Amino acid sequence: MKQSLAICLGTLLLSTAASAEVHISGFASVVGGQVLEGSGVEEFGLEPTFLADYPLVGAYTEEWSFEPDTLFGLQFSADLMDGLSATAQVVSRGADNFSASFEWAYLSYELNEHWTLQAGKKRLPLYYYSDFFDVGYAYPWIRPPADNYTWQIFNYTGASALYNYLIGDWTMTGQIYYGREDDEPNKLLSEFFFGASTREIWKDIGGLVVQFNRDWLDIRLTHMQYNNERFIGGEQRIWDNGSTERKGKFYGLSVNVDWNNLLVLTELNRLTLEGSDLDTYLVTLGYRFGDFLPYVSYSDFDDGSEIHNTASVGLRWDFHPSAAFKIQYDDVTDDGVGAGTPDSWRVAGDAKAISLGVDLVF
Amino acid sequence: MKKLLGSILLCLCSMQVFAGVAVIVHPSNGDSLDKKDIENIYLGKTKSFPGGGQAVPVNLEGGAVREAFDSNVLGKSASQLKAYWSQKVFTGKGTPPKEVASDAEVIGLVSSNPNIIGYIDSSQVNGSVKVIAEY
């Protein structure tokens, strides 16, 4: 019995090995940092804080810490042949006390040369850097500018279609997606904004991404819509429109230039939520000197009440074929209205912070 | 031991001195490809030859020929390419070309499959493959 089971398993393993090639790849960031000088937010009893990563509440204080930006990710991809593949990604983050969880799990089917269908749990491709936010090696900064990436939801479960066309000297790529996300407790809202367990639901998320690329120029346009429901401390939130649901519409434009050694990265976004506009933008300038990329960056968030921006200066050094060392200085200004009152719209106050670390892919 | 030393020396020599990069396809492949076509195939922007046939690119793992190909044909450094592919791989939008260890392996693959495109040191070219471009 034991023997036949062993043979059975052996055959199974062999046949799996023969039909599916499993590929393991991964990424990691080990980053430390601290607040050099900060105001905190007195009305919330918040000590000097640099909120480096909104969705995960990666926050630095005046004490040196490795937790806010450090993470390890492993991706398993099984090629089932004839265009079918299965991918799963496990990520362990310092901001989550290094507990590992499946961020992604999806099936992918290559319909033809131009179209690929995917279904399962994926990262939401909202902003330019949203769907590879965790892969520090793929961009210049330590992390994408926090003022732009303030969203509560960064994954969704659903289906998407990726496309890819060559049009003369241009490549047109993009994605059409539909799905939902029900996050409880939502980390950003529960731990930072409301101080009470919050369930954040985005229903009927529907989006379109169109990206044009030619040599040194890259242009990305995106639109996304969703219906938002929220429960704070178990109680359903009634929005200003008198309903339990509110509609969000997101528009984004990104123009990136990588010309000779000059790098210009820009992003301009607007989210309209029941009549109010949440505007964000970022601009980064960098210049490559061999393996060194110094850069300056500015990012801004403004919805009329919550207003903050960050000026940054940093350096990326590709010191190894698979790894980059980065150091970055951030200066955050929090101009949220009503400072010092119970109606304060400040988030984390002003802060000057330093962070440095290594990003790698394997 | 002597043989090993010899092959190490040979390896070192071939890494330092090479005649140029020859881009090769199967002899039956009638397509003509310019630099942009080759770049599009190697960056995963297209999966077919200009004539319509499926195109499967093969990379060398490393060495001088790979470096020359990356910088002269693709116009990117090794770390820029790594950043490019890590963005694709970890968003489920593509996988980089398969890598093999030697020119001989590239020739073996290209000569046995009309869909494969590769590149090798020009001095290693033989009659089993067709050179479509040299850089």
Side-chain angles (χ1 to χ4, degrees):
Chain A
M1 179 63 197
K2 246 184 187 167
Q3 210 174 11
S4 67
L5 184 68
I7 290 167
C8 228
L9 273 174
T11 323
L12 192 68
L13 285 173
L14 276 176
S15 65
T16 313
S19 62
E21 193 182 325
V22 178
H23 189 71
I24 302 174
S25 47
F27 50 87
S29 298
V30 180
V31 175
Q34 75 172 102
V35 172
L36 301 173
E37 191 189 321
S39 67
V41 185
E42 204 186 334
E43 55 268 30
F44 307 146
L46 189 73
E47 61 178 326
T49 299
F50 169 45
L51 187 55
D53 182 337
Y54 278 69
L56 296 161
V57 195
Y60 290 96
T61 63
E62 286 177 302
E63 203 168 313
W64 185 268
S65 172
F66 282 100
E67 279 170 11
D69 283 310
T70 296
L71 60 83
F72 295 86
L74 273 183
Q75 180 164 306
F76 304 88
S77 188
D79 186 353
L80 306 168
M81 309 296 280
D82 300 320
L84 189 64
S85 66
T87 305
Q89 204 182 87
V90 180
V91 184
S92 160
R93 309 167 189 279
D96 279 339
N97 298 316
F98 292 105
S99 65
S101 61
F102 275 96
E103 297 277 337
W104 283 29
Y106 65 91
L107 288 176
S108 192
Y109 180 65
E110 252 182 64
L111 207 57
N112 55 40
E113 146 109 20
H114 302 293
W115 290 84
T116 301
L117 303 179
Q118 297 183 329
K121 184 177 181 180
K122 282 200 79 180
R123 208 64 48 87
L124 192 65
L126 194 55
Y127 294 84
Y128 191 92
Y129 301 93
S130 291
D131 58 352
F132 57 104
F133 192 90
D134 290 333
V135 190
Y137 190 88
Y139 45 75
W141 326 277
I142 294 241
R143 87 286 299 177
D147 303 293
N148 275 226
Y149 293 82
T150 56
W151 302 107
Q152 304 89 2
I153 297 297
F154 52 100
N155 290 326
Y156 74 106
T157 303
S160 70
L162 304 172
Y163 57 92
N164 182 12
Y165 285 92
L166 273 178
I167 306 165
D169 291 338
W170 292 84
T171 330
M172 181 176 78
T173 55
Q175 192 170 353
I176 300 164
Y177 58 95
Y178 182 83
R180 62 177 281 146
E181 178 73 347
D182 188 336
D183 194 31
E184 185 184 25
N186 182 266
K187 200 166 162 72
L188 176 65
L189 297 176
S190 305
E191 291 180 19
F192 213 85
F193 280 105
F194 303 135
S197 181
T198 302
R199 178 180 170 198
E200 177 75 352
I201 305 167
W202 286 22
K203 297 199 303 189
D204 303 317
I205 302 171
L208 173 71
V209 179
V210 188
Q211 198 164 346
F212 298 96
N213 183 274
R214 182 189 169 153
D215 295 329
W216 48 267
L217 182 63
D218 179 67
I219 301 165
R220 180 185 188 266
L221 291 157
T222 181
H223 175 60
M224 191 273 288
Q225 296 195 6
Y226 69 104
N227 284 315
N228 180 206
E229 275 187 76
R230 185 177 289 169
F231 293 83
I232 305 176
E235 206 161 306
Q236 182 149 32
R237 169 87 188 254
I238 308 294
W239 303 107
D240 293 341
N241 61 10
S243 164
T244 54
E245 283 188 19
R246 61 173 179 173
K247 196 169 194 72
K249 292 184 177 185
F250 179 88
Y251 305 88
L253 166 70
S254 178
V255 178
N256 293 331
V257 168
D258 187 343
W259 185 69
N260 286 336
N261 287 311
L262 179 69
L263 212 62
V264 183
L265 311 176
T266 68
E267 209 177 328
L268 185 64
N269 310 288
R270 165 166 286 183
L271 176 70
T272 301
L273 266 172
E274 293 298 346
S276 70
D277 293 327
L278 292 80
D279 292 326
T280 52
Y281 69 84
L282 74 84
V283 54
T284 297
L285 292 174
Y287 195 87
R288 233 180 257 116
F289 298 92
D291 292 333
F292 292 91
L293 173 68
Y295 57 86
V296 289
S297 186
Y298 185 82
S299 63
D300 188 90
F301 179 102
D302 188 343
D303 72 358
S305 312
E306 183 186 328
I307 301 164
H308 43 88
N309 64 65
T310 307
S312 310
V313 53
L315 175 74
R316 173 189 173 129
W317 172 31
D318 290 303
F319 71 99
H320 180 276
S322 298
F325 170 83
K326 294 174 183 174
I327 182 163
Q328 186 170 318
Y329 173 78
D330 294 285
D331 186 351
V332 182
T333 305
D334 188 343
D335 289 326
V337 301
T341 71
D343 288 331
S344 171
W345 282 86
R346 289 207 284 170
V347 179
D350 296 347
K352 293 176 176 30
I354 186 96
S355 37
L356 55 97
V358 172
D359 291 320
L360 47 106
V361 287
F362 51 90
Chain B
M1 189 63 193
K2 231 181 193 173
K3 218 174 173 182
L4 182 69
L5 274 176
S7 61
I8 287 172
L9 273 175
L10 195 72
C11 199
L12 285 173
C13 287
S14 66
M15 271 170 76
Q16 272 154 12
V17 191
F18 67 96
V21 179
V23 180
I24 55 171
V25 294
H26 191 267
S28 72
N29 189 328
D31 283 301
S32 64
L33 281 79
D34 63 19
K35 203 166 165 176
K36 191 77 201 168
D37 296 328
I38 297 167
E39 184 188 316
N40 285 336
I41 290 171
Y42 270 89
L43 294 181
K45 293 179 173 180
T46 180
K47 288 167 190 154
S48 51
F49 287 111
Q54 193 198 2
V56 180
V58 171
N59 250 336
L60 282 169
E61 268 171 15
V65 181
R66 167 70 186 268
E67 272 173 42
F69 181 80
D70 286 352
S71 63
N72 299 345
V73 183
L74 306 182
K76 287 181 158 67
S77 71
S79 53
Q80 279 174 276
L81 281 167
K82 198 144 219 165
Y84 175 86
W85 280 114
S86 60
Q87 185 185 331
K88 300 265 181 220
V89 167
F90 298 119
T91 56
K93 287 175 190 159
T95 43
K98 282 213 162 39
E99 292 185 341
V100 297
S102 68
D103 286 5
E105 275 181 77
V106 177
I107 292 177
L109 287 167
V110 169
S111 62
S112 63
N113 186 337
N115 294 325
I116 293 181
I117 174 171
Y119 60 87
I120 52 170
D121 186 335
S122 307
S123 66
Q124 303 297 309
V125 171
N126 65 31
S128 68
V129 295
K130 179 172 147 187
V131 176
I132 50 160
E134 280 193 78
Y135 298 97

